[in-house]
Amino acid sequence: ESATRERGAQISRVITLAAPVAAAAIVALALAKPAVLALLYSGAFRPAARYLRWTLLGDYFKVAGWILSIPMLAASEIRMFLAADMAASGTFAAAAAVLSSSRGPAEAASIAFVLMNAVHLAICAVFARRRHGFRWNSPSKLVRSAGLTWCAGLVLVTTVTALEWNK
């Protein structure tokens, strides 16, 4: 019981620390995406910024999902890790297939990336709660705001992405 609470509190601390860093990095990339694409690749990649707006949002979900999936590996819960990965991959494939007729294949894949990472995060959060005592709102004074911190980052990333949508 005590070890479970401590593991859950540690996971919450990591989320609380990682969420603002991830949000800041993603916001910076969202604001500078055409320049970053030109710098890292070439000017010919500037049209890819249209898809990057989706994938950056998906990356925010991905960071939290990976933080929550690491305890699966640490506890040798390989079946659960693979099940989460397979469910996420299935979500990606299904969403990309369904959306490709109305959005085009590249944008469909970008949107599917967001959905895939959201599903992966949800599965990992449920597992971390049941197995490791993780709570988005921990009773610990130090990490009480893991859920609030993560949600604030999501609002920031979503807002900046929306403001920069057509740039």
Side-chain angles (χ1 to χ4, degrees):
E1 180 73 28
S2 177
T4 300
R5 265 197 315 269
E6 180 53 38
R7 281 193 308 265
Q10 182 62 30
I11 295 167
S12 293
R13 281 191 289 276
V14 173
I15 294 273
T16 301
L17 293 172
V21 173
I26 290 167
V27 163
L29 284 170
L31 292 171
K33 62 187 172 201
V36 170
L37 287 170
L39 177 68
L40 295 177
Y41 302 101
S42 78
F45 279 88
R46 285 183 192 247
R50 176 178 185 191
Y51 311 114
L52 194 57
R53 63 189 182 197
W54 285 107
T55 57
L56 288 173
L57 180 59
D59 283 335
Y60 189 71
F61 287 98
K62 186 176 187 175
V63 168
W66 271 101
I67 290 168
L68 294 174
S69 70
I70 295 301
M72 286 181 202
L73 294 174
S76 296
E77 295 282 351
I78 302 304
R79 285 188 180 136
M80 187 62 211
F81 181 84
L82 290 174
D85 222 29
M86 300 273 294
S89 295
T91 298
F92 177 83
V98 168
L99 293 168
S100 65
S101 62
S102 63
R103 298 292 206 146
E107 189 166 22
S110 299
I111 297 167
F113 180 77
V114 175
L115 298 173
M116 170 184 77
N117 285 299
V119 165
H120 187 261
L121 172 59
I123 292 168
C124 292
V126 168
F127 178 81
R129 178 182 174 91
R130 289 184 178 167
R131 174 83 170 167
H132 300 292
F134 167 73
R135 303 280 189 271
W136 285 103
N137 292 314
S138 171
S140 167
K141 290 179 182 177
L142 294 174
V143 293
R144 187 170 292 169
S145 62
L148 183 60
T149 302
W150 187 84
C151 287
L154 179 61
V155 168
L156 180 63
V157 167
T158 303
T159 300
V160 171
T161 300
L163 292 172
E164 295 291 312
W165 196 256
N166 292 317
K167 295 182 181 176

